[in-house]
Amino acid sequence: MNTLKLYSMLKVNQKKAKETKYNHTRIILAISATIIAILCMASCATDKSKYHFDSSKDALTSYHVYLSELQKKESLSSDDFVTTISNWSELRDSVYAYISKDSAFYAHTYLSSEFYSIHDSIRTEMFRLAVGQDRTLKDVLRVKKSTSQYNNEEDIKTTFNSAKAFYASLDSLEVFKADKGQTLVLYRKFFSGINDIEFKKLNDLKSVIRTEDRLFRTFLTHINEYSDISLADITKGTEQLCKSVYGYATDGELDAKDVMVYMSMRTNRRLVQNTQSCIESIRRRDKLTDKQQEAYYWMLIQPYIAIDSFGMAMLTPEQERTLLSYADEIQRMEQTHKLGKNHRKLSEMSNLILKLYISGL
């Protein structure tokens, strides 16, 4: 499914939101549901596919043959796993596109039942191969990035390049000179005015992101000082900001494609910055409680878990290299017992992340 079609579906949501006068909560849920549905459904097959069939039976036979070949494999390296997922995605989309054109696909259930039966069996084999050997966070990133269905979307390149330049410019803004208490005061003051902000132009969104980014980076300079302070209102404020931005996109005030790209890159940037702050804290040998160590563990691996297919395509080359480097460093930290003991081994977690990723393919 290319981004242009995703954009079109968001436009449909915009019209529906106007007609039914959704409140902000229902708006964000509507958009999230749309995006998640698109990410989880099969990509749209094109005439460029290398697979060609003579009949629906022939298409299903090809899919079954692929399953049989997969069942013979005992293990796969990460590179081979990437190739296998990519081949599966292309074959799956081609088979589905062909049989769904058959009138029998809707008139009877045998075509769809057979397709989904084979599909579920292939997914089971993918699970087996994913955990057939110990994977690393680096493997997770490579697999998710290399198999993102949005990697070659031409219609978002211009927006992506503009957003990349915008976020790079934020690095020149120094953090606020504030201690942990003053930082929270500034953060809360910022969020108290969110509901009064109108996002009618991209520059409105960029202006808010610029201030929020500076506040977030200031917050991260005190990350190990907040263990005994409730940050629920900061979390709520962040959620409200996102709801408001997506709400304006749904209403048609902001361009939906701009919002998707800028907000996805905002999330990526925050996740990378957060991981960087945790790593630097551990490097400084900041004294951490068991609770803080556990929190750091989850923050360190969060980018590898949370970045979805579209987000992977929105990673800049620099961010990708950084996360690959961090994956190695996080593994060394585990080996030198700097991550505490109350967590799963990174190899186990990496396998689980890959299984979670495959479950959405």
Side-chain angles (χ1 to χ4, degrees):
M1 177 70 70
N2 62 34
T3 305
L4 184 58
K5 292 193 176 182
L6 174 56
Y7 178 65
S8 298
M9 291 184 72
L10 284 172
K11 285 294 187 182
V12 171
N13 267 356
Q14 291 173 356
K15 182 177 180 182
K16 288 181 178 179
K18 285 183 178 179
E19 293 173 347
T20 57
K21 297 182 180 179
Y22 281 173
N23 59 37
H24 283 315
T25 300
R26 295 179 68 187
I27 288 170
I28 188 62
L29 290 175
I31 290 186
S32 297
T34 299
I35 294 176
I36 291 171
I38 293 170
L39 291 176
C40 291
M41 68 191 298
S43 303
C44 299
T46 68
D47 293 335
K48 296 180 181 179
S49 172
K50 64 183 178 183
Y51 299 103
H52 300 283
F53 313 111
D54 296 324
S55 64
S56 293
K57 181 180 179 181
D58 180 34
L60 290 173
T61 297
S62 297
Y63 208 28
H64 197 277
V65 167
Y66 181 81
L67 168 61
S68 298
E69 292 175 348
L70 208 58
Q71 290 171 330
K72 297 175 184 177
K73 298 182 183 295
E74 295 184 2
S75 63
L76 288 174
S77 67
S78 293
D79 289 340
D80 288 339
F81 196 56
V82 166
T83 301
T84 300
I85 290 178
S86 298
N87 289 340
W88 172 35
S89 297
E90 185 175 1
L91 175 59
R92 173 201 63 200
D93 295 348
S94 298
V95 171
Y96 184 85
Y98 189 93
I99 66 174
S100 63
K101 294 177 183 177
D102 192 324
S103 58
F105 185 81
Y106 298 99
H108 307 286
T109 61
Y110 73 92
L111 280 179
S112 58
S113 296
E114 180 66 14
F115 172 81
Y116 287 115
S117 176
I118 299 171
H119 182 71
D120 288 343
S121 295
I122 289 176
R123 194 195 307 276
T124 298
E125 291 303 313
M126 288 292 184
F127 286 150
R128 175 180 64 82
L129 292 169
V131 301
Q133 60 191 76
D134 286 344
R135 305 291 180 180
T136 65
L137 293 176
K138 181 178 282 189
D139 293 330
V140 169
L141 186 70
R142 284 174 171 168
V143 169
K144 293 179 71 173
K145 179 69 176 73
S146 299
T147 59
S148 170
Q149 59 187 315
Y150 299 103
N151 280 335
N152 300 310
E153 292 295 340
E154 293 293 329
D155 55 318
I156 59 174
K157 273 192 174 181
T158 299
T159 306
F160 172 81
N161 289 331
S162 296
K164 179 183 175 183
F166 165 71
Y167 280 108
S169 72
L170 301 185
D171 293 334
S172 63
L173 299 176
E174 294 184 2
V175 299
F176 292 105
K177 294 180 180 179
D179 60 26
K180 68 174 183 179
Q182 294 168 331
T183 298
L184 293 181
V185 170
L186 289 172
Y187 230 146
R188 287 162 179 155
K189 183 178 179 180
F190 167 76
F191 284 131
S192 68
I194 285 298
N195 290 333
D196 298 326
I197 297 176
E198 293 186 343
F199 296 96
K200 295 195 173 183
K201 297 179 181 178
L202 179 58
N203 281 339
D204 296 332
L205 174 61
K206 290 163 70 173
S207 178
V208 169
I209 290 177
R210 186 178 292 110
T211 301
E212 188 211 19
D213 184 85
R214 193 178 177 193
L215 281 167
F216 183 69
R217 287 186 289 116
T218 305
F219 172 84
L220 289 179
T221 63
H222 305 289
I223 190 170
N224 65 325
E225 301 176 42
Y226 292 116
S227 60
D228 57 344
I229 299 175
S230 174
L231 301 174
D233 58 333
I234 303 296
T235 301
K236 184 177 180 180
T238 302
E239 292 172 352
Q240 183 58 44
L241 169 61
C242 294
K243 288 179 182 179
S244 184
V245 171
Y246 281 114
Y248 276 88
T250 305
D251 287 337
E253 302 287 351
L254 285 175
D255 183 88
K257 184 162 52 176
D258 285 344
V259 169
M260 287 172 55
V261 172
Y262 274 82
M263 293 300 282
S264 181
M265 293 182 74
R266 166 190 170 276
T267 298
N268 288 351
R269 178 175 167 86
R270 289 166 68 94
L271 287 170
V272 173
Q273 289 172 335
N274 202 34
T275 298
Q276 178 183 4
S277 294
C278 292
I279 287 177
E280 290 176 351
S281 179
I282 294 173
R283 285 173 180 167
R284 291 194 305 265
R285 298 186 178 181
D286 291 337
K287 188 175 181 180
L288 303 175
T289 64
D290 290 344
K291 185 177 180 180
Q292 284 178 312
Q293 282 187 324
E294 183 178 359
Y296 270 38
Y297 169 81
W298 287 105
M299 287 191 285
L300 286 169
I301 67 175
Q302 191 67 12
Y304 310 92
I305 300 173
I307 301 178
D308 61 15
S309 186
F310 188 77
M312 282 291 166
M314 293 299 100
L315 282 173
T316 66
E318 295 80 12
Q319 287 174 331
E320 184 181 357
R321 287 193 294 269
T322 296
L323 288 176
L324 287 171
S325 174
Y326 285 169
D328 285 336
E329 185 153 6
I330 294 168
Q331 186 168 343
R332 286 194 294 271
M333 287 177 174
E334 180 185 56
Q335 293 169 347
T336 53
H337 310 293
K338 294 179 180 179
L339 300 182
K341 302 176 181 179
N342 300 320
H343 58 76
R344 283 180 178 268
K345 290 178 58 178
L346 285 176
S347 58
E348 294 177 6
M349 184 55 66
S350 298
N351 287 0
L352 285 174
I353 297 171
L354 279 179
K355 288 188 70 174
L356 178 64
Y357 176 65
I358 293 168
S359 69
L361 296 178

